[in-house]
Amino acid sequence: MEERKKVGLALASGGGRGAAHVGVLQVLTEHNIPIDLISGCSAGALVAAIFAAGTDLHMLEKYLCTLAPKDLIDPTMVTRGGFISGNKVSELMRVLTHDLTIEQTKLPCFIGAADLETSEFHIFEHCKLYEAARASMAIPGVFTPVNIDGHWYIDGGTLQELPVEVLRTHGADVVIGVDLSIKKRFVITENKAPGAHQTVLRAFDMLQKEITRLRADPVDVRIKPDVSFMGMISTAGAAEAIRIGRECAERALPEIEALLS
């Protein structure tokens, strides 16, 4: 009997746009598309960690749609590396990942972050899932960096928006990538300078776009939901983003099934 192809799923960074990942995962699991390995950066790391921990995706959808900014944002001193401490996100992720370590997940889960000292892309192997995910989504200047085993980490999307290579390295025959990059034009009100928060997030979007262009990580199937209406750290519109993620995944099913057959 021919051995089944091993499938890897890479979830891109994208802030609030990451809600679309939930819709994609729902469709893939409902249609029995095997996911043998999963990777993620930033928002993608949050969803990858939650999925790898075995949390029900429809429960996650209901939870996301009830979240408000106050549930995620806890201001701190900017001198600490960001104006949001991230403690609320850490606690939320600890609960949603059942306080599991990376070694305890139901499938291999590869979460990447950028090491501030070495400038290298780091894949976590021996820590709590929620710690790795929190480090991976530490948007520079917005969320405070995270210290794990003596190293300070920031958002993995600063180096890899879509972590594909790690899946290939660990044996994925077919890689599905969920790409959340946007082409929406940045509109600035005439004669009014954008705020610091808006400027930082826009600069990060620009950085990610250039990284994606230069890396051109090869995927076998690219799912690209247009959820550009979602803010970087906003939950408003989550239900719509999940619906769009579902629609895009459903359109990709014939291509995925053909590759696996």
Side-chain angles (χ1 to χ4, degrees):
M1 185 175 179
E2 188 177 351
E3 188 175 346
R4 177 177 66 75
K5 293 177 181 177
K6 183 180 282 190
V7 179
L9 179 67
L11 304 182
S13 57
R17 301 193 297 273
H21 289 319
V22 178
V24 171
L25 276 165
Q26 287 175 346
V27 169
L28 296 181
T29 55
E30 288 165 8
H31 287 81
N32 298 313
I33 301 298
I35 301 173
D36 301 295
L37 313 88
I38 192 167
S39 67
C41 280
S42 198
L46 301 182
V47 178
I50 292 169
F51 178 75
T55 300
D56 181 80
L57 292 169
H58 291 281
M59 183 277 288
L60 178 59
E61 175 183 7
K62 291 178 181 177
Y63 192 74
L64 275 178
C65 293
T66 63
L67 278 178
K70 65 179 179 62
D71 299 319
L72 302 172
I73 298 174
D74 40 4
T76 186
M77 299 292 290
V78 178
T79 52
R80 294 180 181 173
F83 61 82
I84 301 175
S85 74
N87 292 333
K88 286 187 176 181
V89 174
S90 288
E91 180 57 23
L92 175 62
M93 285 300 298
R94 188 186 68 78
V95 172
L96 291 175
T97 59
H98 315 297
D99 204 25
L100 296 179
T101 64
I102 288 175
E103 300 97 319
Q104 294 173 318
T105 56
K106 68 172 187 175
L107 76 165
C109 179
F110 304 100
I111 294 174
D115 187 317
L116 265 178
E117 182 179 359
T118 66
S119 302
E120 294 177 347
F121 187 71
H122 178 78
I123 297 292
F124 295 100
E125 297 179 352
H126 307 293
C127 66
K128 293 284 189 177
L129 265 176
Y130 78 88
E131 292 177 327
R134 166 65 181 86
S136 184
M137 53 78 65
I139 303 169
V142 178
F143 284 94
T144 57
V146 174
N147 189 289
I148 298 177
D149 295 332
H151 291 259
W152 288 98
Y153 296 100
I154 59 171
D155 199 305
T158 58
L159 294 177
Q160 288 190 32
E161 185 176 19
L162 191 62
V164 171
E165 184 180 346
V166 66
L167 298 176
R168 299 286 191 197
T169 301
H170 286 83
D173 302 303
V174 174
V175 173
I176 303 167
V178 186
D179 182 352
L180 300 181
S181 57
I182 59 176
K183 296 181 179 179
K184 184 176 70 172
R185 190 170 183 270
F186 186 55
V187 179
I188 300 177
T189 305
E190 188 176 358
N191 298 323
K192 184 179 180 182
H197 171 251
Q198 186 184 29
T199 302
V200 169
L201 295 184
R202 176 55 178 170
F204 193 65
D205 264 343
M206 292 164 63
L207 174 65
Q208 288 183 317
K209 184 177 180 180
E210 184 65 7
I211 289 170
T212 300
R213 184 186 70 80
L214 293 172
R215 288 188 60 87
D217 293 313
V219 296
D220 298 294
V221 179
R222 187 177 296 270
I223 300 174
K224 193 168 182 178
D226 182 3
V227 286
S228 54
F229 58 87
M230 291 292 290
M232 184 64 80
I233 52 176
S234 172
T235 56
E240 179 68 2
I242 292 170
R243 183 190 67 78
I244 292 172
R246 287 187 61 92
E247 287 183 351
C248 289
E250 286 166 356
R251 287 197 295 270
L253 281 173
E255 185 180 2
I256 295 170
E257 290 168 345
L259 279 170
L260 296 183
S261 65

